[in-house]
Amino acid sequence: MEPLQKDHHGGGNRTLSLLIEGKQYQWKQQFITGLEIKQLANLPTDCIIYLNIPEPWKDELVENDTKVDLARPEIEHFYILHKLKYTIDGQQYESSSQYIRGKQIRHQGQIASDKDIFLAIRGPWEDELITDDAFVDLARPGIEHVFSKDRKHSFTIIINGEDKVWEALKIEYKDVIALAFRHAFQPE
């Protein structure tokens, strides 16, 4: 479909073409605001819209009161920044940002500091541990699923010159004795 001629003065019966989410629309004035773009395309007023700018420049955020000149040489293309969905312990959340930090996940999901946070990875690979300072990319295909679980503590204790594994934060004297002499009480 051939775009209509642009009227560089914004007057007369000519219309200006613009693309919103890949669909072509017509506008009779030289300038259009972000709110008018949303109304024209029947979009929610709280959605986030960007103006596609050719490389090497970055796309521009178009606020509701931002005016965009439609009479520039090319057809202006606008797109919505879709909210990215993810879950934390089965509860759904949304983000406008592609990346989210582990500490934000911990805060949103109200995850206690004594629990670990993992990004669910489809098998046969292991789930990915998320530290508080790590970033999770929410724009990968599909919905990211994050879950928490009790932190596993594993310590190596040397008793009588032998490495012994203990999986708790605290150890009592009776536990040390049991570890030291465990092999003496086990049947061969």
Side-chain angles (χ1 to χ4, degrees):
M1 177 174 174
E2 282 290 314
L4 297 175
Q5 290 289 325
K6 289 192 174 191
D7 178 1
H8 291 283
H9 303 290
N13 291 332
R14 293 190 173 179
T15 59
L16 300 168
S17 294
L18 63 146
L19 293 171
I20 306 170
E21 288 285 291
K23 186 175 177 187
Q24 189 165 343
Y25 293 88
Q26 305 302 316
W27 190 250
K28 292 190 180 214
Q29 298 170 12
Q30 179 178 352
F31 294 95
I32 189 168
T33 66
L35 183 59
E36 290 169 331
I37 293 167
K38 293 172 185 178
Q39 291 169 342
L40 183 63
N42 214 10
L43 300 171
T45 56
D46 65 343
C47 70
I48 300 170
I49 292 187
Y50 279 87
L51 171 61
N52 184 276
I53 306 291
E55 297 228 354
W57 297 281
K58 291 186 176 186
D59 294 349
E60 291 179 16
L61 173 65
V62 179
E63 303 276 355
N64 282 346
D65 59 350
T66 302
K67 287 185 178 182
V68 178
D69 186 354
L70 297 177
R72 294 185 284 200
E74 297 166 4
I75 294 177
E76 304 300 348
H77 177 216
F78 301 91
Y79 65 92
I80 299 171
L81 181 62
H82 294 279
K83 293 196 176 193
L84 300 165
K85 295 180 181 186
Y86 59 101
T87 65
I88 302 173
D89 289 332
Q91 187 172 349
Q92 190 161 344
Y93 294 86
E94 292 182 340
S95 175
S96 298
S97 176
Q98 178 177 347
Y99 295 95
I100 186 167
R101 279 194 167 195
K103 63 179 134 191
Q104 291 171 285
I105 293 170
R106 185 175 297 282
H107 177 74
Q108 282 182 325
Q110 298 177 355
I111 299 170
S113 61
D114 64 342
K115 292 188 174 239
D116 283 329
I117 302 170
F118 290 88
L119 177 62
I121 305 293
R122 292 185 186 187
W125 298 278
E126 291 184 25
D127 295 326
E128 183 180 320
L129 176 66
I130 302 169
T131 62
D132 283 350
D133 291 328
F135 285 96
V136 175
D137 184 354
L138 299 175
R140 296 186 288 198
I143 294 177
E144 298 299 344
H145 298 284
V146 175
F147 64 93
S148 63
K149 66 180 183 180
D150 290 332
R151 185 167 289 142
K152 190 173 186 178
H153 303 283
S154 182
F155 301 95
T156 301
I157 304 169
I158 301 172
I159 301 174
N160 295 333
E162 292 184 33
D163 289 352
K164 306 288 183 174
V165 176
W166 184 253
E167 296 191 0
L169 282 177
K170 294 181 181 179
I171 189 167
E172 294 183 19
Y173 180 73
K174 65 180 176 125
D175 300 320
V176 174
I177 298 300
L179 284 174
F181 297 104
R182 180 176 291 163
H183 66 280
F185 300 113
Q186 292 179 347
E188 302 250 354

